[in-house]
């Protein structure tokens, strides 16, 4: 049996188009991870991705993770509530094109439903523009959280490409 998956690619080209969400919990703070921490990225990828069929990196060795995270164009930010981990996002910056892809973004299950995803996306877009990028883009699909697409659209992003994929 095959399932169809809708994948949407979204972009935002001007920081002035960002519809920012304010911090929903006063103790939330964002931290850039320097130096890269493969265990932290693996943790978020597996924990957040298990409900959304994130599978492309499940077979990666520690060397694959290290090689990926130690490039000069990949950055990870984590969101904390006091000292507790809440969520994360990864940026892939394409310097010659002045573009930034928000490659992965998500929050841990216990924080869902508290408007934190909207806040994290707002921060991810802002941090992406701070890299000097002129275009921020992301893709999401129907396997992601049911409000993912609405969140991107509500932050001012616009769909520039859609496709239907078959999953067997």
């Amino acid at each position: 049996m095959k399932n169809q998956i809708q994948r949407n690619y979204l972009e935002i080209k001007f920081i002035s188009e960002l519809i920012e969400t304010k911090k929903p919990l006063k103790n939330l703070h964002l931290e850039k991870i320097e130096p890269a921490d493969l265990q932290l990225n693996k943790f978020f990828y597996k924990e957040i991705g298990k409900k959304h069929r994130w599978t492309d990196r499940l077979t990666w060795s520690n060397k694959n993770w290290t090689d990926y995270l130690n490039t000069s164009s990949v950055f990870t930010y984590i969101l904390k509530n006091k000292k507790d981990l809440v969520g994360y996002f990864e940026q892939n910056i394409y310097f010659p094109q002045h573009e930034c892809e928000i490659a992965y973004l998500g929050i841990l299950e216990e924080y869902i439903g508290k408007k934190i995803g909207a806040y994290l996306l707002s921060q991810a877009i802002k941090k992406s523009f701070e890299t000097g990028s002129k275009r921020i883009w992301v893709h999401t699909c129907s396997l992601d959280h049911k409000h993912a697409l609405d969140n991107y659209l509500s932050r001012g992003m616009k769909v520039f490409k859609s496709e239907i994929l078959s999953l067997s």
Side-chain angles (χ1 to χ4, degrees):
M1 183 173 152
K2 291 188 176 185
N3 296 318
Q4 290 193 332
I5 299 164
Q6 172 84 33
R7 185 176 349 182
N8 292 294
Y9 295 82
L10 300 99
E11 67 186 0
I12 187 168
K13 294 184 177 179
F14 303 99
I15 189 71
S16 60
E17 294 175 344
L18 172 62
I19 301 166
E20 190 172 353
T21 297
K22 301 297 180 201
K23 190 186 298 189
L25 301 173
K26 77 173 192 171
N27 292 311
L28 287 176
H29 61 280
L30 196 63
E31 294 179 11
K32 186 175 184 179
I33 302 304
E34 291 180 311
D37 182 340
L38 74 100
Q39 296 302 331
L40 196 56
N41 282 70
K42 280 172 61 172
F43 165 77
F44 278 118
Y45 179 86
K46 288 178 180 179
E47 274 304 303
I48 294 167
K50 67 185 172 189
K51 285 195 156 196
H52 308 293
R53 291 194 186 174
W54 293 359
T55 60
D56 55 318
R57 296 183 184 177
L58 292 178
T59 60
W60 279 16
S61 67
N62 282 350
K63 182 177 181 345
N64 293 124
W65 278 99
T66 300
D67 290 348
Y68 168 73
L69 292 171
N70 285 326
T71 64
S72 61
S73 61
V74 174
F75 300 95
T76 302
Y77 286 83
I78 61 168
L79 186 65
K80 290 183 173 181
N81 185 32
K82 297 182 183 175
K83 293 184 180 186
D84 294 337
L85 297 174
V86 174
Y88 88 127
F89 66 89
E90 287 179 12
Q91 296 172 320
N92 287 330
I93 302 172
Y94 305 100
F95 290 105
Q97 297 88 355
H98 301 287
E99 294 183 358
C100 181
E101 174 189 10
I102 300 171
Y104 286 92
L105 179 141
I107 58 173
L108 297 171
E109 192 168 354
E110 58 267 28
Y111 288 97
I112 291 175
K114 299 179 180 183
K115 307 241 182 259
I116 294 172
Y119 173 73
L120 181 60
L121 179 56
S122 293
Q123 295 304 303
I125 291 170
K126 283 172 59 175
K127 291 294 182 188
S128 297
F129 275 114
E130 288 174 10
T131 68
S133 295
K134 305 293 182 203
R135 175 179 178 254
I136 315 307
W137 65 277
V138 65
H139 63 81
T140 189
C141 74
S142 52
L143 296 174
D144 287 337
H145 189 275
K146 64 183 178 180
H147 297 301
L149 180 59
D150 288 339
N151 188 18
Y152 293 117
L153 294 169
S154 294
R155 302 290 71 73
M157 299 188 92
K158 294 175 180 51
V159 174
F160 68 90
K161 178 181 171 185
S162 292
E163 60 189 356
I164 301 290
L165 306 170
S166 293
L167 180 68
S168 45

